[in-house]
Amino acid sequence: MTDTTVDPAGLLAIAVTVAREAADTARSMRAEGVSGVTTKSTDTDVVTAADRAVERQVVAALGALRPGDTVLGEEYGGTDGDARVRWVVDPIDGTVNYLYGLPQYAVSLAAEVDGVAVAAVVRNAATGDEWTATLGGGAFRGKKRLAASAQTDLAQALVATGFGYDAKRRAHQAEVLTRLITRVRDIRRFGAASLDLCLAAEGGVDAYFEKGLNPWDHAAGGLIAAEAGLVVGGLDGRPAGLDMLVAAPPAIFGPLADLLSEFDAAGGP
Ligand code: IPD
């Protein structure tokens, strides 16, 4: 018998409701001024009172709507349990943009069933733009079904990326870029991985890659990108993970991944 409690469409409806309320909180707290700023892994890796408040709100809302499911969040880690459904949330992806008032920060929320993302929403809290996907059901911005770039030539590709917070890692990432930048059309760095993946999903950039992403950075955006037709994976045949995530149209995934591998983009600190 079908288990309706893990139906992707039903999980997406809950995700969208919860993410919209969370985005409202993030936006209204930003309007009141950023507070409670502290640092995490390095002096430039910030967390604000809003990051914490939004995650607490998401965990509480999911607890009310889906008691028994577990949640993994950026600020408070994981909740205990062995439920089939795990929610993965970045309460404010793009915290540095949030700090500076740049309108490129998002609530990112995915539902995984047995470890596989099946429903996803990314909502730009500053603008209200919203992207969704269900596994096998396509990716959408609002009601518009998304199709990734049809680019076939890496030399013509606009490629987004991001940097970690650790200085040594950033130096390595910058070295990779000095080599890559002559092999592609150009590079973009917007500051929120989930939104980068959504941009790739709608062809706003041709491809995206980043080393060091955590599950909350890419769980939702990764599904949205894949459902829009991008190949999402790691280097040398590995799945996307902490060492590397590449999202690119089928024709340029291989050439881009090969170059990144040659430049040791998944290596270094
Ligand atoms: C960060 C952003 C950024 C990416 C970093 C992430 P946060 O997430 O997504 O674009 O380059 O790797 O850590 O800290 O703003 O939630």
Side-chain angles (χ1 to χ4, degrees):
M1 210 167 74
T2 313
D3 182 354
T4 54
T5 64
V6 298
D7 165 48
L11 293 169
L12 180 63
I14 288 169
V16 167
T17 301
V18 171
R20 286 181 182 172
E21 290 168 359
D24 285 348
T25 299
R27 196 182 55 253
S28 61
M29 287 186 78
R30 184 69 188 69
E32 287 160 16
V34 179
S35 65
V37 182
T38 56
T39 57
K40 297 191 287 187
S41 60
T42 72
D43 287 349
T44 52
D45 181 6
V46 287
V47 55
T48 71
D51 293 82
R52 298 190 198 91
V54 172
E55 185 165 319
R56 285 197 301 271
Q57 178 180 323
V58 168
V59 172
L62 291 172
L65 292 165
R66 299 270 317 178
D69 293 354
T70 60
V71 184
L72 174 68
E74 175 170 19
E75 312 306 341
Y76 292 101
T79 58
D80 293 332
D82 56 3
R84 292 187 68 194
V85 175
R86 179 175 82 155
W87 298 86
V88 184
V89 60
D90 191 337
I92 299 180
D93 183 32
T95 303
V96 174
N97 287 341
Y98 182 85
L99 188 64
Y100 281 79
L102 298 172
Q104 192 74 356
Y105 55 89
V107 175
S108 170
L109 181 60
E112 294 175 343
V113 176
D114 303 329
V116 176
V118 302
V121 57
V122 174
R123 186 173 177 93
N124 183 324
T127 65
D129 292 323
E130 186 178 274
W131 296 261
T132 59
T134 51
L135 184 64
F140 295 83
R141 176 172 179 155
K143 290 194 163 56
K144 185 174 177 244
R145 187 156 186 167
L146 301 180
S149 153
Q151 185 58 253
T152 57
D153 181 2
L154 183 59
Q156 295 294 319
L158 185 61
V159 180
T161 191
F163 307 110
Y165 289 110
D166 173 73
K168 289 197 178 75
R169 171 165 296 177
R170 295 166 72 79
H172 179 73
Q173 289 174 313
E175 276 168 29
V176 170
L177 276 192
T178 61
R179 302 179 71 187
L180 185 68
I181 201 163
T182 60
R183 310 290 289 272
V184 298
R185 178 191 297 274
D186 208 345
I187 298 290
R188 293 290 182 272
R189 196 302 193 236
F190 296 112
S194 60
L195 291 171
D196 292 337
L197 284 159
C198 292
L199 261 182
E202 63 187 21
V205 292
D206 294 301
Y208 165 75
F209 74 94
E210 186 164 344
K211 170 187 164 80
L213 292 180
N214 286 292
W216 45 81
D217 296 312
H218 66 80
L223 178 62
I224 292 165
E227 285 294 325
L230 292 152
V231 179
V232 179
L235 301 188
D236 307 314
R238 292 191 296 275
L242 197 57
D243 64 342
M244 181 54 64
L245 179 147
V246 182
I252 61 172
F253 180 90
L256 177 57
D258 287 350
L259 266 191
L260 291 170
S261 188
E262 182 187 328
F263 301 159
D264 192 28

